[in-house]
Amino acid sequence: MMKLGILFTALALGAALPVAAQDMAMPAPAKHAEQLETRFNPPLGTVQRFRIKATKRGQATSWDEELRFERDGAGYLGHWRMDPASFSAEMRHPALAPSFRPFTGVPVKLELDSEGSIVRIRDWEPLKARMLVSAKAIGPLMMTATPDRSKPDPATERRIMAAVDAMFGELSAETAPDVVIKYLSPALGWGGHARTVGETVEGVEQADAALLGTSVERRIRLTLTEADAETARFVITTAIDGAALKGMMTKVAAMFENPDPAVRERARQSLAKLEQMTVVQTTTVLLDRATSLPRRLDQSVSSEGKTTDTLVIEWLRVPKVS
């Protein structure tokens, strides 16, 4: 069963680490005749399914997410949901299942710009309320994730839930997508690129950690490695150094601070170790040129030479777009 300690770390890092094309602030290259230009042109009116396979610290889960696109002014409206029938066994565990309920019923409406980047979640406040109800429902699981605790502790539960309420309270309709759609979001926002095969661009940016109300500096390197008439392959490497990680996770530790001296000492030691690390994320995207949606996206996160997390997104249908 997935531990909530891992879930909280994922929530904190999730908004900072995933490399969606919509997040990249890269310098525009000089124009060349041989440049590849991407244009967001999704299939409209049909449900598109994406298979998600995620591994965190050796624990694998898989599920399908659905998106239906329609035109909305100059941009698009995406109707997104998770398919509960596709959940792997771990996600069906009674203690964890409530956390997914806000996303398995009526689709969440995502407002997208003309390049496919998520701008905001429509009707965010009712969704946030449902998410907070779900968070309270998995309170017992949060307690089993705390060190040396096998049973729920009322005081600890109140402290953790107050921190969760505060974290969600900082989210707005514009910042929530990085948390709510964090697994599928790297598949969106690939329109509007102009690159030459073999070209590499690099940049440094402040990536928002939406749940924490803060940001972390990351270095990004993007290369268009190959292209043909139907597809284009991009490789993106993102690095966050230890000092930046420690600064971000110190805020997490403060929000979930435990009065137990032994627990606090372990947290201090963990933060000290973070400062010596560099987290590197490598993403390979096989982009469908007709739609600017990835046919497949592979992502891995490593530190100290070891891969800790992986993510695979497969588009299960690639129809022609008129």
Side-chain angles (χ1 to χ4, degrees), residues 294-309:
R295 295 187 182 187
R296 182 182 173 99
L297 182 149
D298 291 84
Q299 190 175 90
S300 64
V301 178
S302 62
S303 61
E304 299 181 308
K306 298 179 181 179
T307 298
T308 57
D309 302 344

Side-chain angles (χ1 to χ4, degrees), residues 1-11 56-57 59 61 90 93 96 138 140-150:
M1 179 171 60
M2 186 180 296
K3 294 293 188 180
L4 258 290
I6 294 175
L7 282 181
F8 284 136
T9 302
L11 285 173
K56 287 188 175 294
R57 293 163 179 78
Q59 179 178 321
T61 53
E90 297 82 358
H93 193 284
L96 187 59
I138 61 172
L141 181 58
M142 295 182 189
M143 298 308 103
T144 66
T146 59
D148 305 323
R149 294 181 186 270
S150 58

Side-chain angles (χ1 to χ4, degrees), residues 21 23-32 35-36 192-196 199-205 218-224 234:
D23 293 331
M24 287 184 263
M26 296 294 189
K31 286 287 185 180
H32 297 287
Q35 278 186 341
L36 176 147
H193 278 268
R195 300 283 178 249
T196 303
E199 173 193 11
T200 296
V201 292
E202 299 184 57
V204 177
E205 71 168 13
R218 62 182 181 182
R219 303 184 304 277
I220 305 176
R221 177 185 177 92
L222 179 147
T223 304
L224 172 58
F234 291 87

Side-chain angles (χ1 to χ4, degrees), residues 71-88:
R71 270 291 187 182
D72 185 48
Y76 297 87
L77 190 65
H79 301 263
W80 169 82
R81 69 183 291 272
M82 302 175 73
D83 177 12
S86 69
F87 287 179
S88 55

Side-chain angles (χ1 to χ4, degrees), residues 42-298:
L44 302 179
T46 58
V47 174
Q48 303 299 313
R49 294 179 66 86
F50 297 84
R51 175 71 41 80
I52 313 291
K53 299 177 183 178
T55 302
K56 287 188 175 294
R57 293 163 179 78
Q59 179 178 321
T61 53
S62 64
W63 66 96
D64 292 353
E65 299 189 7
E66 301 174 350
L67 258 179
R68 179 173 60 84
F69 298 97
E70 63 180 64
R71 270 291 187 182
D72 185 48
Y76 297 87
L77 190 65
H79 301 263
W80 169 82
R81 69 183 291 272
M82 302 175 73
D83 177 12
S86 69
F87 287 179
S88 55
E90 297 82 358
M91 300 173 70
R92 298 171 186 264
H93 193 284
L96 187 59
S99 64
F100 304 112
R101 285 176 187 157
F103 318 120
T104 58
V106 176
V108 175
K109 295 179 181 179
L110 310 175
E111 296 181 14
L112 311 176
D113 66 17
S114 61
E115 297 177 352
S117 296
I118 304 176
V119 176
R120 65 192 304 273
I121 293 178
R122 188 173 292 182
D123 303 322
W124 162 240
E125 291 299 327
L127 175 61
K128 180 170 69 172
R130 295 196 298 273
M131 291 173 65
L132 285 170
V133 170
S134 292
K136 289 179 173 62
I138 61 172
L141 181 58
M142 295 182 189
M143 298 308 103
T144 66
T146 59
D148 305 323
R149 294 181 186 270
S150 58
K151 295 181 179 180
D153 177 275
T156 300
E157 183 172 359
R158 286 194 297 271
R159 187 181 69 253
I160 291 178
M161 290 313 305
V164 171
D165 286 346
M167 292 168 74
F168 278 100
E170 292 191 28
L171 295 177
S172 67
E174 290 74 25
T175 60
D178 283 337
V179 176
V180 178
I181 324 291
K182 70 173 185 175
Y183 287 102
L184 191 58
S185 62
L188 297 170
W190 283 95
H193 278 268
R195 300 283 178 249
T196 303
V197 174
E199 173 193 11
T200 296
V201 292
E202 299 184 57
V204 177
E205 71 168 13
Q206 291 294 124
D208 291 333
L211 269 180
L212 306 181
T214 187
S215 62
V216 63
E217 183 178 278
R218 62 182 181 182
R219 303 184 304 277
I220 305 176
R221 177 185 177 92
L222 179 147
T223 304
L224 172 58
T225 60
E226 58 183 303
D228 58 29
E230 294 187 354
T231 62
R233 189 180 303 275
F234 291 87
V235 177
I236 310 103
T237 302
T238 304
I240 302 176
D241 66 26
L245 280 172
K246 181 182 178 182
M248 182 173 66
M249 295 310 295
T250 295
K251 184 168 184 179
V252 178
M255 295 177 74
F256 293 95
E257 188 173 14
N258 192 308
D260 186 327
V263 174
R264 295 177 68 164
E265 174 60 20
R266 286 195 293 269
R268 186 194 66 78
Q269 294 175 5
S270 297
L271 288 172
K273 289 180 181 179
L274 269 182
E275 198 166 15
Q276 308 304 315
M277 297 169 54
T278 296
V279 173
V280 177
Q281 180 177 270
T282 303
T283 306
T284 301
V285 179
L286 182 64
L287 197 70
D288 180 65
R289 292 186 62 178
T291 61
S292 287
L293 287 170
R295 295 187 182 187
R296 182 182 173 99
L297 182 149
D298 291 84

Side-chain angles (χ1 to χ4, degrees), residues 309-322:
D309 302 344
T310 63
L311 172 68
V312 176
I313 302 174
E314 293 182 273
W315 186 13
L316 301 184
R317 181 185 177 204
V318 187
K320 292 183 178 180
V321 177
S322 58

